Amino acid sequence: MPLSDPQHLVDGAVRRRRRMTAWLIGANLTVALVLGALVAHVLLTSHRAYAAQARDVSEGLAAVAQLNVAAEMGRVDAVLRATAGEMERLLEAPGGASDAVLNEVLNARFGLLFGIEALRASDASGQVRWGTRLPAEAPAWITDRDFFIRARDLSKPLTQVTGPLVSRVSGNWVIGFGRPLVVRNRFAGVLYVTVGVDHFRHLFERYDLAPLDAMTLRRDDLRLVARMAPGSPAQGGIGETLVSDELRAMQAAQPRQGTFVSTVTIDGQNRTTAYRALDDWPFVVYAGVNNERFFKPWRQQAWTVASLAVLAWLLVALAAWQVHRVTRRQDRAMQALADQGKRIQALMRVSADGIHIVDRQGRLVEFSDAFAEMLKSTRASLLGRHVSSWDANQDEAAITRWLAGVKAGDRQRVDVQHRRDDGEVIDVELQLSVAEIGGELLVFSSGRDVTQQRRLLREQAAMLESDLVGMARISRRRITWRNRAVERLLGYGPGELQGVSARVFYWDDEQFEEVGRQVYAAMVERGYYRSQIRMRSKSGEAVWVDFGAVPLSDTEIFAMAVDITAMKAAHEDLAHAAFHDALTQLPNRVLLYDRIEQALALARRERQQVAVCYLDLDGFKAVNDAQGHDAGDQLLQTVAARLTAGIRPLDTVARLGGDEFVLVLTCIEDGGWRTVLARVVDAIGEPIVLSSGAKVAVGVTAGVAVFSPDDTVGAHELIERADHEMLRGKRDGKGRVRAG
């Protein structure tokens, strides 16, 4: 509500001097009501601004914590999935895998994670048999653990989360991540990770929390997992569900995210709290900021503004009383009242922390207590000082030039920096209004300390400009904004991606359209999208990324991408090592059985034969004993190369161990295997020159099992038959080829 014009009151008093008493009473009441309304409006607006600042800070902290905690759990899940796959392959091998091999795998994967207590696995009965830091005494059982029960009953492998609970091995509070092991379509046990809840508390210690602020991680059923509240008298007990009614009501209405103000039940502190639910995990992060530090300046401002309003009303009342007593001095008194009213009107027109007035020479003539507190100074020290004494960027000459150009009625809003008396420089949002009072030009100013707000904006900008996580805004599949990480990730220079189509990231139009359909369908269904995508860099190289997107509007999305090319390559190396012989790089026993089963299926369909040839080298032990193991390894590698060169691309050669090899000859006619095997045997028999210069030679004894389209035998039976024929050939004098 605008203030009444004080000059209008002066004119009315001149015209109605005879009725002054009644009019003055009404005028005083009107001024009191107007001042009261203005004070209420100013303080309400200011209170909303401080509340919004507290809300923005808490929401920013909650958003960062959500990303960090989700990333931590995502890393655990990724390692669990990769490790589970490797263990299942080992357990599926004939005869399974030894405890030593499985423990070696788990210990290696344990080193990929930090902040976890243990990486262990149980068998199907629930006994913990493999992993890190196993108890030396009686074996541990997890039969009654929720993640074991749920994993055992799952129709497909998924990571299950349980806790917080007390570890039976360490005695610490932990969160458990469990994933079922499935071998030959049967439940074979559970692979699980225990993460100490202190890991999440240490994660929250990285944030710049003020005293009595709080960061909290809870399950979606409100059980406390970890809490960090500097200076708080109580931190809460793990597993407790002691929360405020406001939290329960807000989370019931908005389960995924929200903001509320409440007195926290744990320690009795009043906070503005923002929460964010993790998309893929049953957890919620809470970020609470202490309202005392945000509203203390507002209470000081309220006291100052209210005091000024009361002072203004008292001055008006005193002026009216003087006018009533001395009518001959009415014009002078009312003019003084009008001048004072204009000054008060200008001061009350702006809402900020520090109100101050300077004259045409740039000297301070009046100011509020909040302005002195902003500069950490005193009234006696500030009164009469020049603006340049606290302006951190403008000297006296520059300020004098600016003042020479202003005129009554001018208004400005500028961002400046003030230097406090203790030397600290703060960011200030300054609103200016120029008025002429009593023939003197005065500049009325209101400054608000926005240092913390600007710092928060810079921190948010720094997060968006991360060099690790690529981020972009995409409108109608065109890039409207991107950070440096996107350009670095895909090999583009600064500005090259601005405004271009997202098609440049994909290999062809088909992939571009397919990913687009998946992304927008997922965001309609779930509100987000996440997948691993192979993208194309500027140089044409493949770049694997962990890609996620959320909608900003009907036409715009916010996308994030993390480079996982190295992880993909490592996974492929692990897969190769699991199915190939380390010395010769030939398929091992596990892959051999798979290749045989594929060959048998093709033979039944094409009505052709498959020959499985079991080869054992004659004379290998003599070479190994005489020339040494290195020479023996070189001989085996040479034999493997000759075997590979002597077969067709659709055939398979594998090493079973020692000096035993197996050929799988696919899609052959009756007796067609004899020509291929004879060529291979002759090639192996050629002399081999070792790196030492020695020349050696070995022979071959082979057993052959032939599969016809109407046979019902499988890979195991064919290998056993060929092995049996090879042993008969050995007994008959070696260097033989026998078929059964």
Side-chain angles (χ1 to χ4, degrees):
M1 181 183 294
L3 286 169
S4 300
D5 185 3
Q7 190 60 46
H8 175 70
L9 301 179
V10 174
D11 296 339
V14 173
R15 292 192 300 267
R16 296 183 298 274
R17 187 173 299 173
R18 298 295 182 179
R19 295 170 292 173
M20 186 62 66
T21 302
W23 183 88
L24 287 176
I25 293 174
N28 274 278
L29 291 175
T30 301
V31 171
L33 290 174
V34 171
L35 287 175
L38 282 173
V39 168
H41 174 72
V42 168
L43 294 182
L44 180 60
T45 302
S46 180
H47 189 277
R48 288 173 179 169
Y50 283 112
Q53 185 180 7
R55 183 174 62 252
D56 291 344
V57 172
S58 64
E59 289 177 349
L61 287 172
V64 172
Q66 178 195 36
L67 291 175
N68 288 347
V69 175
E72 290 291 311
M73 295 185 178
R75 279 193 288 271
V76 173
D77 182 39
V79 173
L80 270 179
R81 283 185 280 126
T83 306
E86 185 171 359
M87 290 191 65
E88 288 169 351
R89 289 191 294 271
L90 291 172
L91 292 171
E92 283 178 352
S98 68
D99 289 352
V101 171
L102 295 175
N103 281 322
E104 182 180 354
V105 170
L106 293 177
N107 277 283
R109 292 302 176 92
F110 178 79
L112 299 178
L113 296 171
F114 57 89
I116 68 171
E117 282 199 353
L119 174 60
R120 304 189 180 107
S122 76
D123 57 21
S125 69
Q127 180 183 351
V128 181
R129 296 183 54 191
W130 311 286
T132 63
R133 303 176 183 173
L134 293 174
E137 54 277 9
W141 296 81
I142 57 170
T143 315
D144 59 337
R145 292 299 197 191
D146 289 345
F147 64 84
F148 179 87
I149 297 172
R150 290 200 298 267
R152 184 181 56 196
D153 298 335
L154 282 176
S155 60
K156 61 181 181 179
L158 290 173
T159 301
Q160 302 292 311
V161 183
T162 189
L165 49 85
V166 177
S167 170
R168 291 172 178 161
V169 177
S170 68
N172 298 326
W173 282 95
V174 298
I175 296 293
F177 294 79
R179 188 175 182 87
L181 298 174
V182 178
V183 178
R184 300 185 186 93
N185 297 321
R186 296 182 62 184
F187 176 72
V190 172
L191 175 68
Y192 67 97
V193 167
T194 56
V195 182
V197 298
D198 280 342
H199 175 66
F200 299 101
R201 189 173 184 276
H202 294 325
L203 184 67
F204 294 155
E205 289 176 349
R206 304 175 187 172
Y207 305 140
D208 187 16
L209 299 179
L212 299 181
D213 288 352
M215 292 294 302
T216 306
L217 178 65
R218 292 181 180 274
R219 287 291 297 251
D220 50 12
D221 59 4
L222 298 180
R223 283 184 291 161
L224 179 65
V225 177
R227 185 171 184 267
M228 178 66 184
S232 175
Q235 298 293 336
I238 299 173
E240 291 182 355
T241 59
L242 193 63
V243 297
S244 65
D245 294 337
E246 291 85 352
L247 187 154
R248 293 184 184 275
M250 189 66 185
Q251 205 155 355
Q254 300 180 21
R256 302 303 302 168
Q257 66 179 46
T259 307
F260 60 94
V261 178
S262 70
T263 299
V264 178
T265 307
I266 291 177
D267 56 11
Q269 297 296 320
N270 186 265
R271 296 186 177 93
T272 297
T273 301
Y275 63 89
R276 296 288 185 277
L278 272 64
D279 293 332
D280 299 322
W281 307 100
F283 296 90
V284 183
V285 293
Y286 300 81
V289 295
N290 179 26
N291 285 333
E292 174 62 21
R293 68 184 174 98
F294 284 94
F295 291 109
K296 183 178 179 180
W298 176 82
R299 287 193 292 271
Q300 294 170 343
Q301 180 185 14
W303 172 254
T304 300
V305 173
S307 298
L308 287 173
V310 171
L311 176 61
W313 183 82
L314 289 176
L315 289 173
V316 172
L318 179 61
W321 181 69
Q322 290 293 340
V323 168
H324 179 69
R325 289 186 59 191
V326 188
T327 57
R328 293 183 180 180
R329 297 164 55 190
Q330 181 176 0
D331 291 344
R332 185 185 303 172
M334 288 302 294
Q335 188 61 52
L337 178 63
D339 292 346
Q340 182 65 23
K342 287 182 179 179
R343 181 175 295 180
I344 294 172
Q345 182 180 4
L347 287 172
M348 299 299 291
R349 188 174 293 162
V350 292
S351 172
D353 295 339
I355 301 172
H356 52 288
I357 308 168
V358 298
D359 59 18
R360 193 62 177 263
Q361 289 71 43
R363 302 289 175 183
L364 188 64
V365 297
E366 186 56 81
F367 55 92
S368 66
D369 291 344
F371 181 69
E373 292 175 4
M374 179 189 296
L375 296 183
K376 292 190 176 179
S377 188
T378 63
R379 175 169 291 275
S381 174
L382 283 173
L383 198 61
R385 275 170 53 177
H386 195 271
V387 176
S388 60
S389 67
W390 66 77
D391 192 305
N393 300 314
Q394 301 291 330
D395 58 16
E396 186 171 349
I399 293 170
T400 300
R401 287 193 299 272
W402 178 80
L403 287 171
V406 301
K407 58 184 182 298
D410 287 349
R411 291 192 180 191
Q412 292 186 25
R413 179 195 172 280
V414 294
D415 293 327
V416 298
Q417 288 184 310
H418 285 176
R419 181 178 289 105
R420 291 172 166 168
D421 283 6
D422 61 3
E424 180 184 0
V425 176
I426 60 174
D427 294 321
V428 176
E429 182 182 276
L430 197 63
Q431 298 188 37
L432 307 173
S433 177
V434 183
E436 185 175 349
I437 301 177
E440 183 180 3
L441 198 69
L442 298 174
V443 180
F444 293 80
S445 305
S446 176
R448 175 178 299 169
D449 182 357
V450 293
T451 305
Q452 293 298 327
Q453 180 181 349
R454 299 285 166 77
R455 181 178 299 167
L456 178 61
L457 291 175
R458 289 193 293 269
E459 290 173 353
Q460 291 174 343
M463 286 188 290
L464 290 175
E465 289 301 329
S466 166
D467 283 334
L468 298 177
V469 180
M471 304 180 193
R473 284 198 303 269
I474 301 175
S475 178
R476 302 185 188 277
R477 308 208 74 182
R478 284 194 171 273
I479 301 167
T480 58
W481 173 89
R482 75 277 167 253
N483 66 358
R484 292 190 302 267
V486 173
E487 298 169 338
R488 177 190 57 77
L489 179 66
L490 297 172
Y492 287 88
E496 286 189 73
L497 293 176
Q498 185 64 29
V500 304
S501 170
R503 168 66 178 83
V504 300
F505 299 152
Y506 299 92
W507 291 93
D508 49 38
D509 292 338
E510 182 179 356
Q511 185 196 21
F512 176 62
E513 296 299 333
E514 177 61 25
V515 172
R517 285 192 294 269
Q518 294 176 3
V519 169
Y520 288 99
M523 288 192 293
V524 170
E525 180 181 352
R526 301 190 301 271
Y528 70 94
Y529 173 82
R530 184 176 181 186
S531 182
Q532 293 182 356
I533 299 176
R534 187 183 69 155
M535 289 189 167
R536 179 187 181 95
S537 70
K538 181 180 179 181
S539 63
E541 297 179 355
V543 178
W544 280 93
V545 298
D546 190 339
F547 180 81
V550 294
L552 298 178
S553 68
D554 292 340
T555 60
E556 189 173 30
I557 67 172
F558 184 79
M560 292 184 292
V562 178
D563 188 352
I564 59 170
T565 306
M567 184 183 75
K568 277 284 186 180
H571 179 75
E572 292 174 358
D573 290 342
L574 288 173
H576 180 83
F579 294 103
H580 291 79
D581 174 56
L583 176 64
T584 63
Q585 298 303 309
L586 294 177
N588 61 13
R589 187 182 298 271
V590 175
L591 185 55
L592 172 65
Y593 282 113
D594 181 69
R595 294 279 181 86
I596 294 176
E597 293 295 347
Q598 293 181 29
L600 298 184
L602 179 62
R604 293 187 183 101
R605 187 167 58 250
E606 301 294 333
R607 306 300 297 171
Q608 291 184 321
Q609 294 181 340
V610 175
V612 176
C613 309
Y614 202 111
L615 280 62
D616 185 88
L617 301 183
D618 299 330
F620 171 75
K621 185 176 184 302
V623 173
N624 203 41
D625 292 344
Q627 302 293 331
H629 292 294
D630 289 342
D633 289 346
Q634 184 181 351
L635 186 149
L636 291 174
Q637 290 172 333
T638 302
V639 169
R642 291 179 179 179
L643 285 171
T644 303
I647 62 174
R648 302 167 298 170
L650 70 161
D651 297 330
T652 298
V653 57
R655 181 190 178 206
L656 298 187
D659 58 349
E660 296 179 342
F661 297 85
V662 171
L663 296 180
V664 182
L665 306 180
T666 306
C667 296
I668 58 175
E669 303 294 340
D670 289 340
W673 58 269
R674 299 182 184 277
T675 302
V676 178
L677 184 58
R679 182 171 64 248
V680 168
V681 170
D682 290 342
I684 295 174
E686 292 292 329
I688 297 172
V689 179
L690 302 176
S691 58
S692 63
K695 182 181 293 187
V696 298
V698 294
V700 176
T701 298
V704 181
V706 179
F707 172 85
S708 297
D710 296 325
D711 289 346
T712 59
V713 296
H716 289 275
E717 291 84 350
L718 287 172
I719 291 290
E720 289 177 357
R721 281 168 48 188
D723 184 23
H724 178 70
E725 293 300 326
M726 183 274 294
L727 292 175
R728 290 180 61 191
K730 285 282 189 181
R731 288 193 296 270
D732 292 344
K734 301 183 180 181
R736 309 293 182 100
V737 175
R738 294 189 58 89

